[in-house]
């Protein structure tokens, strides 16, 4: 049973979560609890608050990933100790475990470690003695070499606590893994945008992974993947309601050719590289260098587009300052036979001070070809996710027609076997999500 | 207590290796480019999509271009599409023998920079890439049949780790 941030945020929420654990025990199960850090952004022990404690020392010095992991793991340690003690006060013996103590071994990538193995012996002993283990989500231990004392504390990156729950469920051969959150399960759309968006009773592992990939934050795909691999029943439920929730199942157990939901991402910035002025023989090199740079700086790219006139992609708003730093005024010399051409990238139609300075400095070297990067800020990607649906004729038409009729500008489209996405102005997100939800008749989905 | 023994005997292995796990090619597509559509542009695009839908033709990888649109159809539908477009739009082209390279990696988006790395390697092959698409566990690259083999080879050589 995994309880997310909001399920352990307040004394009342923790009590409700604890009562669910006790109820499971009373029904004859042996619950193993996984907890996230207490509360979301801004809460005293939330992950972001802990990160800020380090960053505010000197914002110009980036903390080491190892120390950062030790810091942010404290959130889950607080949470597990408090939850275990709460269970004790309610008459249930319980014991808190760090990830490493629970036997979770990871690789050595601080901040985004992968679980490589779990030895659940300590948890099994606990269960045998009718003690409820309360395990810190999101963390494990990396042992650099055999005999390394204590190992190094690592965190599992995005969706880490869901992953902890799923992996422990598999290692313990659990009857089921239940992910408790503040919504009733996997919804057909964000309930903030579509009131009364129904809860899906069954979704496939692939659907839930795609929904998460395209912006919904209900269950992390890593957790779904582990549950799928080990055939562990996985549920998403609300701590605060008696709704039965959503069961995540294999693809053959869900209705084929259906639309599962409409998702939306956070704020994106769309960049379009006009490469028309580049020599055709230099295009490939310029494109490659741009993508190599995005890879080197770990940019998360959306809506990637290649066309004869140039390339384009969207980046999350919070990564845009890095992209701006990298690309505005970027100089790429391309050598062809004995001649070197100099290309200078400029964001927007007017050169920034940086681009202007670069141009002046480089002028003595010969002609400088300016490549303009068109910028569209404040975009969102809205997606229709469907299982064996996107191959049907007319799906694109249906999406574009309904948005066009409602005068929602579509900047670009993208699709895959499981989804169809449109890039639109962020201000139109609410309208687009509601429209598509209605267009695909999702109010009656289950 | 010998914890090493416990680890060896009782540990359950978990998450797949990082990075790319598989590269496959799906053949049998045709790429359609339509340009110089009249204004209002979106209406003209919708009209074409309506014709295709009315004839039960499924399309993939739709991209909106400056003056039109581009998309992929099954190669077996290419002749039918060409006939339908001939009467509707003067400026269009049909490129047969297109393939999709499917590069698989679990939770691609979480491995920051991986998508860009695959695209950089693919472009570096020097073949014309017509479209890109991505799913939670796959990056899809549309290119010519021969180009697909070249890209698949390069991605395997440069980005796939050999399991130890």
């Amino acid at each position: 049973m995994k309880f997310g941030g909001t399920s352990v945020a307040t004394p009342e929420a923790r009590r409700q979560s604890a009562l669910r654990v006790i109820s499971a025990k009373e029904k004859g199960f042996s619950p193993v609890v996984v907890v996230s850090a207490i509360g979301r952004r801004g809460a005293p022990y939330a992950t972001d608050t802990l990160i800020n404690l380090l960053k505010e020392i000197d914002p110009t010095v980036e903390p080491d990933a190892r120390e950062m992991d030790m810091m942010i793991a404290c959130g889950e340690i607080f949470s597990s100790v408090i939850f275990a003690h709460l269970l004790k006060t309610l008459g249930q013996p319980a014991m808190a475990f760090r990830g490493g103590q629970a036997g979770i071994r990871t690789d050595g990538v601080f901040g985004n470690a992968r679980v490589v193995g779990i030895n659940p012996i300590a948890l099994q002993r606990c269960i045998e003695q009718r003690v409820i283990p309360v395990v810190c989500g999101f963390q494990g231990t990396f042992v650099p070499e055999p005999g390394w004392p204590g190992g190094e504390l690592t965190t599992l990156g995005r969706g880490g606590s869901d992953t902890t729950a799923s992996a422990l469920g598999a290692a313990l051969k659990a009857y089921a893994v239940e992910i408790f959150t503040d919504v009733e399960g996997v919804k057909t759309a964000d309930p903030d945008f579509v009131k009364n968006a129904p809860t899906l009773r069954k979704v496939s592992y692939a659907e839930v992974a795609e929904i998460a990939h395209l912006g919904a934050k209900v269950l992390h795909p890593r957790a779904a993947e582990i549950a799928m691999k080990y055939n562990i029943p996985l549920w998403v439920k609300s701590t605060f309601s008696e709704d039965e929730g959503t069961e995540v199942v294999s693809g053959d157990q869900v209705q084929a050719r259906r639309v599962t939901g409409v998702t939306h991402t956070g704020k994106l910035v769309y960049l379009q590289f006009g490469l028309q002025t580049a020599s055709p023989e230099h295009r490939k090199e310029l494109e490659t260098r741009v993508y190599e740079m995005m890879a080197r700086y770990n940019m998360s790219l959306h809506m990637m587009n290649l066309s004869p006139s140039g390339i384009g992609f969207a980046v999350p708003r919070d990564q845009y300052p890095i992209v701006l730093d990298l690309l505005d005024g970027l100089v790429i010399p391309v050598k062809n036979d004995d001649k070197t051409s100099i290309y200078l990238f400029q964001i927007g139609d007017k050169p920034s001070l940086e681009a202007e300075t670069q141009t002046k400095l480089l002028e003595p070297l010969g002609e400088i070809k300016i490549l303009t990067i068109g910028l569209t800020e404040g975009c969102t990607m809205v997606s229709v996710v469907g299982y064996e649906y996107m191959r049907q004729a007319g799906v694109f038409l249906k999406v574009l027609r309904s948005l066009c009729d409602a005068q929602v500008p579509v900047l670009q489209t993208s699709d895959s076997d499981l989804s169809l996405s449109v890039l639109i102005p962020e201000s139109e997100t609410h309208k687009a999500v509601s429209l598509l939800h209605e267009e695909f008749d999702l109010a009656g989905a289950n | 207590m010998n914890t090493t023994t416990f680890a060896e005997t009782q540990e359950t292995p978990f998450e797949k290796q990082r990075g790319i796990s598989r590269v496959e090619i799906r053949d049998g597509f045709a790429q359609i480019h339509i340009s110089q559509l009249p204004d209002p542009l979106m209406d003209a695009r919708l009209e074409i999509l309506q014709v295709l839908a009315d004839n039960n033709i499924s399309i993939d990888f739709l991209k909106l271009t400056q003056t039109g649109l581009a998309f992929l159809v099954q190669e077996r539908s290419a002749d039918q599409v060409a006939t339908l477009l001939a009467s509707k739009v003067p400026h269009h082209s049909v490129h047969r023998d297109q393939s999709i390279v499917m590069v698989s990696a679990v939770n691609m988006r979480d491995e920051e920079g991986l998508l860009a790395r695959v695209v950089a390697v693919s472009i570096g092959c020097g073949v014309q890439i017509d479209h890109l698409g991505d799913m939670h566990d796959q990056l899809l690259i549309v290119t010519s049949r021969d180009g697909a083999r070249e890209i698949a080879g390069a991605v395997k050589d440069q980005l796939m780790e050999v399991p130890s």
Side-chain angles (χ1 to χ4, degrees):
Chain A
M1 304 174 79
K2 179 253 168 175
F3 295 95
T6 49
S7 299
V8 290
T10 63
E12 182 47 36
R14 287 193 286 275
R15 191 180 159 79
Q16 285 198 48
S17 301
L19 291 177
R20 287 197 174 274
V21 176
I22 293 167
S23 165
K25 194 175 177 188
E26 285 170 355
K27 284 177 187 158
F29 296 108
S30 300
V32 174
V33 178
V34 173
V35 286
S36 296
I38 290 175
R40 289 194 173 154
R41 192 179 287 270
Y45 307 112
T47 305
D48 298 287
T49 311
L50 297 170
I51 291 171
N52 284 340
L53 282 175
L54 277 186
K55 288 197 167 173
E56 69 193 13
I57 295 172
D58 183 346
T60 63
V61 181
E62 193 64 27
D64 284 338
R66 179 180 175 278
E67 275 66 41
M68 185 71 105
D69 269 6
M70 289 178 74
M71 175 56 104
I72 58 181
C74 295
E76 276 73 17
I77 294 174
F78 275 127
S79 188
S80 66
V81 173
I82 290 168
F83 202 90
H85 188 69
L86 171 64
L87 285 169
K88 269 184 228 164
T89 63
L90 295 169
Q92 297 294 329
M95 193 182 267
F97 287 85
R98 281 185 283 108
Q101 290 172 320
I104 300 171
R105 194 167 63 83
T106 72
D107 62 18
V109 181
F110 293 107
N112 193 18
R114 291 274 170 111
V115 179
V116 294
I118 295 182
N119 179 345
I121 184 78
L123 302 184
Q124 283 164 337
R125 294 271 163 84
C126 221
I127 294 164
E128 280 164 19
Q129 291 164 25
R130 305 283 294 156
V131 173
I132 301 169
V134 181
V135 182
C136 299
F138 181 62
Q139 57 176 253
T141 297
F142 167 57
V143 181
E145 54 189 79
W148 191 273
E152 295 284 348
L153 195 152
T154 51
T155 64
L156 305 182
R158 277 193 287 267
S161 290
D162 290 352
T163 306
T164 303
S166 228
L168 283 178
L172 291 163
K173 298 182 175 56
Y175 176 77
V177 172
E178 296 180 323
I179 307 286
F180 285 94
T181 176
D182 54 358
V183 290
E184 287 156 349
V186 179
K187 298 272 186 184
T188 52
D190 184 340
D192 288 342
F193 286 9
V194 180
K195 272 190 182 169
N196 304 322
T199 304
L200 294 160
R201 293 299 160 213
K202 280 187 179 181
V203 292
S204 70
Y205 295 105
E207 283 173 313
V208 86
E210 191 67 11
I211 286 171
H213 177 68
L214 294 167
K217 293 182 183 71
V218 66
L219 173 71
H220 199 276
R222 286 166 72 185
E225 197 231 343
I226 290 172
M228 178 170 64
K229 187 176 167 189
Y230 288 91
N231 204 20
I232 304 286
L234 180 62
W235 289 83
V236 181
K237 297 180 174 185
S238 167
T239 306
F240 312 106
S241 107
E242 290 309 313
D243 191 281
E244 64 185 276
T246 302
E247 186 181 7
V248 184
V249 295
S250 57
D252 56 7
Q253 291 181 59
V254 297
Q255 179 200 339
R257 287 177 177 265
R258 67 166 187 175
V259 170
T260 316
V262 180
T263 66
H264 61 95
T265 61
K267 293 174 185 177
L268 300 173
V269 176
Y270 190 58
L271 300 147
Q272 281 175 291
F273 297 70
L275 301 179
Q276 298 95 326
T277 52
S279 314
E281 65 269 27
H282 295 165
R283 285 262 321 251
K284 296 282 174 220
E285 174 140 9
L286 292 167
E287 289 171 352
T288 307
R289 300 277 284 273
V290 167
Y291 275 104
E292 278 173 352
M293 185 169 281
M294 294 301 107
R296 203 174 315 131
Y297 287 87
N298 292 332
M299 294 296 115
S300 178
L301 306 183
H302 300 253
M303 278 276 170
M304 290 181 294
N305 181 27
L306 282 169
S307 74
S309 58
I311 58 177
F313 50 74
V315 294
R317 184 69 186 81
D318 57 359
Q319 290 192 340
Y320 175 62
I322 306 168
V323 173
L324 181 72
D325 257 6
L326 293 172
L327 295 176
D328 196 31
L330 171 71
V331 177
I332 300 182
V334 183
K335 202 168 180 184
N336 206 222
D337 298 327
D338 287 340
K339 198 180 161 216
T340 300
S341 302
I342 298 169
Y343 291 96
L344 189 139
F345 286 85
Q346 166 189 312
I347 292 189
D349 292 331
K350 285 186 181 168
S352 63
L353 185 63
E354 184 151 6
E356 242 173 14
T357 312
Q358 294 275 43
T359 312
K360 276 183 191 153
L361 287 169
L362 294 165
E363 259 167 9
L365 298 175
E367 190 200 356
I368 297 154
K369 291 180 179 169
I370 307 286
L371 300 174
T372 309
I373 304 171
L375 188 69
T376 314
E377 292 195 70
C379 307
T380 312
M381 192 167 85
V382 172
S383 307
V384 177
V385 179
Y387 184 65
E388 292 184 356
Y389 188 85
M390 297 307 153
R391 297 277 166 262
Q392 292 190 59
V395 182
F396 262 119
L397 176 70
K398 198 169 177 175
V399 169
L400 292 183
R401 173 86 70 200
S402 73
L403 295 176
C404 192
D405 287 350
Q407 293 175 331
V408 175
V410 176
L411 307 170
Q412 193 47 273
T413 63
S414 165
D415 64 305
S416 72
D417 289 353
L418 287 170
S419 66
L420 192 159
S421 305
V422 289
L423 190 70
I424 60 166
E426 194 204 342
S427 55
E428 303 284 352
T429 313
H430 195 138
K431 195 203 269 185
V433 171
S434 313
L435 264 172
L436 295 175
H437 194 269
E438 200 178 317
E439 187 67 39
F440 286 95
D441 207 15
L442 286 169
N446 58 37
Chain B
M1 185 174 72
N2 185 343
T3 50
T4 312
T5 310
F6 270 123
E8 280 168 6
T9 57
Q10 300 201 10
E11 194 171 84
T12 308
F14 276 99
E15 295 186 278
K16 288 179 187 166
Q17 213 173 353
R18 283 169 189 276
I20 295 160
S21 57
R22 209 168 58 235
V23 182
E24 294 164 295
I25 296 171
R26 209 192 280 172
D27 291 321
F29 295 92
Q31 174 77 34
I32 317 290
H33 286 280
I34 297 167
S35 59
Q36 297 180 47
L37 288 174
D39 281 330
L41 185 56
M42 193 49 112
D43 288 351
R45 287 171 177 148
L46 289 172
E47 201 179 314
I48 289 163
L49 294 176
Q50 183 72 60
V51 170
L52 297 170
D54 290 346
N55 285 276
N56 207 26
I57 291 166
S58 171
I59 64 167
D60 290 306
F61 293 95
L62 176 74
K63 290 285 172 201
L64 308 180
T65 58
Q66 268 180 343
T67 62
L69 68 165
F71 53 85
L72 207 65
V73 295
Q74 296 280 339
E75 198 154 21
R76 60 175 180 272
S77 308
D79 288 339
Q80 189 189 359
V81 173
T83 311
L84 289 168
L85 293 179
S87 59
K88 292 273 173 199
V89 284
H91 301 283
H92 69 273
S93 59
V94 179
H95 301 278
R96 290 175 174 79
D97 244 359
Q98 299 289 296
S99 300
I100 303 173
V101 185
M102 298 177 294
V103 181
S104 300
V106 175
N107 306 317
M108 262 194 162
R109 177 109 28 239
D110 275 356
E111 292 207 39
E112 287 175 336
L114 181 63
L115 284 167
R117 255 193 303 282
V118 177
V119 178
V121 167
S122 304
I123 296 170
C125 290
V127 298
Q128 174 70 46
I129 294 172
D130 283 308
H131 286 308
L132 295 166
D134 63 272
M135 300 174 13
H136 64 277
D137 59 355
Q138 276 186 344
L139 174 68
L140 310 168
I141 303 160
V142 180
T143 183
S144 64
R145 197 174 185 283
D146 292 342
R149 270 116 194 113
E150 212 162 311
I151 288 173
V155 171
K156 279 182 191 169
D157 287 348
Q158 295 176 46
L159 299 176
M160 254 177 105
E161 282 178 31
V162 180
S164 51

